[in-house]
Amino acid sequence: MRRGTGLLALCLALVTTLLTACSGDGGDDTVRLRVLASPDLAVLAPLLGELKDDTGVDLRLDHRTDAETKTPDRDRYDLAWLSSDRYLRLTDKSATREWQRTSTMTSPVVIGLKPDVARKLRAQVPGSRLTWADIADAAATGTVRFGMADPRHAGSGLAALVGVATAAAGTGAALRPEDVSCDRLRGFRSGQTLTADTGPALVDSYVDHQDEANALITYESDLLALNATDRLDERLEVVRPEDGMVLADFPLLLLNPAHRTAYDKVTQWLRRDSVQRQIMRHTLRRPVNTAVTRDARLREPVGNALFYPDRPAVVETLLADYGDPDRRTTSQVVFLLDFSGSMRGARMAALREAFAGLSGADLSASGKFTRFYRGERLTVVRFGGRVLEEKTVTVTGPRDLTALAGTVARGGYGDATAVWSALDHGYRTAARELAADPDPDRSVSLVLMTDGENNAGLSYAEFVRRHRALPAAVRAAVHTYPVHFGEADAGELRRAATRTGGRMVDAAGSSLSEAFKEIRGCH
């Protein structure tokens, strides 16, 4: 009996020792920690064995595509290691407030261009320094066809989206709700031909479909690593946009405070000079330790680091507007343009200049984000006392824009101004378009430009009656954006905008060009 008791005690002691060695958090015993990780961290696998040998901490990484968009389960994970935790901190402040974080490396989101495209774009830009606006402009014309990870799932895709939207806003500050009240990225989005749920999957997709894209938007480290392989038909030129980049700092997050000691060991090890050099060699990401000499490929300055939005509504709007990158959405704008006699002369010249700017003549940064783009469906309705002419094109190239400009350039003026008849005509056009293509993602908006008061055709009250009689789906989907110009009745235009879910823009204090740019992308 005594012998059996001793044997049992010895077995229990051995089991306890083994369990402690596997999961303990003290002494020299191995500590095994469960880590929720972004797929971008898989490249560090070769270093984890050395980390375990040096610190006694065994990190077990679980790579998940939703790691950066879903709050970690603290009952399942002890740590999280992400490319960025900004989205989580923005959308779940209560859960993330207590987390300790340590940056482990950095990499900006940049653009890789095939050499011929890079040369073409640089030749068009003074100083050859490309911006997000230049890329958006080239995407709108079909010159740039890019791959980018889905911003709803991948940190690199969301960072790129924030970077482009910040450049489009032109404030140089963190995006505000008013900066994204209208979608300025539709031209940019029209150039996306490849996507994936993660950065690594995007790289693989690009390698397999190099004939479908000539640009790749992702972390600098991904592009440099890809260029160092033999997987490309031609290496990509790395472009760091002059108007700024969003930087990922790959934070290691402590979710379970009980493992603070092990966490400190890991972070101290990761930030050692020797380890930072290894991380740089394995990943081509920039070291956070400034004492480490950078690889020659990483010495290009990051430049202007863009601010991340500090309001959840901004990111939610960006993601909702951008939608599913796998789906091709169709947008249509119906321009209802006053061609009454009062528009002759300088006013008509201003209108034609505005359309030329939207067709690509406006080379300002804002002009590049608001220009007409490939795939967009455009209708121009000229009206006086009645509809004088109507022209619809789907933009495939310069010829379509020339045809549209020709409609705006033609003479032929009416002797009256039938504002509400024209708007009623616009709604009937929109209703036909929506019936022909009932895709819920389809966007149709009306832009009404007039310089005078209504003196022919329907009254405002009759227009309202007809608007109420439209199908509910049309009334909900189609909004009116009046441009107040000259002697037009601002009060009535504003009421029409409010009734239809749009808003009025006053061109009296600026110009028709600026007014049209202000409402581009509103829907």
Side-chain angles (χ1 to χ4, degrees):
M1 187 70 178
R2 188 176 299 136
R3 180 180 300 171
T5 302
L7 182 60
L8 177 61
L10 178 60
C11 289
L12 288 173
L14 287 172
V15 170
T16 301
T17 300
L18 288 171
L19 289 173
T20 302
C22 291
S23 59
D25 196 10
D28 295 329
D29 297 329
T30 298
V31 180
R32 179 174 296 141
L33 300 182
R34 302 158 301 171
V35 186
L36 173 66
S38 302
D40 303 275
L41 275 300
V43 69
L44 287 177
L47 297 182
L48 299 184
E50 186 176 342
L51 183 150
K52 177 182 175 182
D53 292 342
D54 289 352
T55 66
V57 181
D58 182 13
L59 298 186
R60 298 297 178 92
L61 272 58
D62 181 11
H63 300 283
R64 299 185 63 87
T65 58
D66 61 357
E68 295 172 12
T69 57
K70 185 178 179 181
T71 303
D73 182 351
R74 294 176 63 174
D75 293 329
R76 184 176 179 183
Y77 300 106
D78 305 303
L79 309 177
W81 203 353
L82 313 174
S83 64
S84 173
D85 62 341
R86 288 188 176 111
Y87 181 80
L88 293 178
R89 290 186 175 276
L90 187 63
T91 57
D92 197 347
K93 293 180 180 178
S94 60
T96 59
R97 189 175 294 115
E98 299 175 356
W99 296 350
Q100 183 174 346
R101 75 187 306 278
T102 303
S103 301
T104 59
M105 49 196 148
T106 66
S107 193
V109 170
V110 299
I111 307 151
L113 293 175
K114 288 186 177 179
D116 59 331
V117 178
R119 282 192 298 270
K120 180 177 181 178
L121 296 187
R122 289 191 188 281
Q124 299 170 357
V125 177
S128 298
R129 302 289 294 181
L130 296 174
T131 64
W132 285 115
D134 297 321
I135 301 302
D137 186 61
T141 64
T143 302
V144 163
R145 295 170 288 109
F146 66 88
M148 186 179 85
D150 190 331
R152 299 170 301 171
H153 306 298
S156 62
L158 183 54
L161 192 59
V162 168
V164 182
T166 302
T171 64
L175 288 167
R176 305 161 299 176
E178 56 265 36
D179 295 327
V180 293
S181 60
C182 295
D183 183 0
R184 297 284 187 269
L185 305 189
R186 294 187 180 187
F188 170 78
R189 188 192 192 283
S190 69
Q192 183 166 6
T193 56
L194 295 175
T195 192
D197 283 344
T198 70
L202 173 69
V203 169
D204 290 340
S205 178
Y206 178 81
V207 169
D208 293 339
H209 303 90
Q210 293 180 55
D211 57 333
E212 296 180 21
N214 53 27
L216 192 59
I217 300 176
T218 186
Y219 293 125
E220 172 192 65
S221 54
D222 292 342
L223 294 176
L224 295 175
L226 183 58
N227 277 342
T229 69
D230 59 359
R231 303 176 70 192
L232 295 175
D233 297 333
E234 50 185 341
R235 291 184 178 182
L236 298 171
E237 182 175 326
V238 178
V239 173
R240 299 168 180 88
E242 185 76 1
D243 40 1
M245 292 162 275
V246 174
L247 197 67
D249 67 345
F250 299 88
L252 184 63
L253 309 171
L254 176 61
L255 307 179
N256 185 349
H259 292 297
R260 170 67 183 270
T261 300
Y263 173 83
D264 288 343
K265 287 181 181 179
V266 171
T267 55
Q268 290 167 13
W269 186 85
L270 289 171
R271 292 174 71 97
R272 288 180 189 171
D273 291 6
S274 59
V275 176
Q276 286 278 291
R277 280 191 286 271
Q278 287 190 71
I279 290 175
M280 182 170 59
R281 284 197 296 271
H282 278 288
T283 70
L284 286 174
R285 292 168 189 157
R286 297 172 182 239
V288 292
N289 188 334
T290 56
V292 175
T293 301
R294 291 181 181 175
D295 182 290
R297 291 166 288 183
L298 300 174
R299 292 174 190 167
E300 184 77 19
V302 171
N304 180 29
L306 298 177
F307 294 98
Y308 200 82
D310 56 6
R311 305 185 198 184
V314 170
V315 175
E316 290 167 3
T317 299
L318 283 176
L319 292 174
D321 283 344
Y322 204 78
D324 183 351
D326 273 327
R327 285 180 59 84
R328 296 295 93 191
T329 59
T330 303
S331 297
Q332 179 168 3
V333 184
V334 179
F335 291 93
L336 305 165
L337 305 179
D338 184 348
F339 268 67
S340 59
S342 59
M343 282 293 295
R344 285 188 173 92
R347 290 181 178 180
M348 186 52 59
L351 176 60
R352 290 165 179 162
E353 180 184 0
F355 261 77
L358 295 178
S359 298
D362 184 348
L363 300 181
S364 67
S366 61
K368 291 178 178 180
F369 278 110
T370 54
R371 64 165 298 151
F372 297 137
Y373 56 87
R374 282 173 63 91
E376 186 174 21
R377 190 166 171 82
L378 303 169
T379 297
V380 167
V381 177
R382 301 194 306 120
F383 73 91
R386 58 180 177 80
V387 170
L388 301 173
E389 183 181 4
E390 180 172 334
K391 176 73 174 179
T392 297
V393 301
T394 298
V395 180
T396 60
R399 181 178 299 177
D400 301 306
L401 297 178
T402 300
L404 207 64
T407 301
V408 178
R410 265 191 289 282
Y413 294 88
D415 56 2
T417 308
V419 175
W420 307 119
S421 292
L423 188 55
D424 178 65
H425 176 86
Y427 270 97
R428 283 187 278 115
T429 299
R432 287 196 304 272
E433 293 287 343
L434 290 172
D437 183 4
D439 185 338
D441 293 327
R442 179 174 171 76
S443 168
V444 181
S445 59
L446 305 181
V447 176
L448 170 65
M449 192 287 300
T450 180
D451 75 334
E453 296 185 9
N454 184 70
N455 57 19
L458 300 179
S459 66
Y460 176 69
E462 178 61 16
F463 163 73
V464 170
R465 188 188 68 77
R466 293 190 179 201
H467 182 263
R468 285 175 178 158
L470 289 169
V474 175
R475 284 186 279 114
V478 183
H479 310 307
T480 301
Y481 298 88
V483 177
H484 174 243
F485 192 51
E487 293 77 42
D489 187 330
E492 280 198 337
L493 293 178
R494 189 174 287 109
R495 284 194 294 274
T498 301
R499 168 167 292 280
T500 63
R503 63 182 173 88
M504 189 191 80
V505 176
D506 197 335
S510 55
S511 68
L512 275 180
S513 291
E514 291 303 314
F516 278 122
K517 286 199 295 184
E518 184 177 338
I519 54 178
R520 282 289 287 154
C522 292
H523 56 282

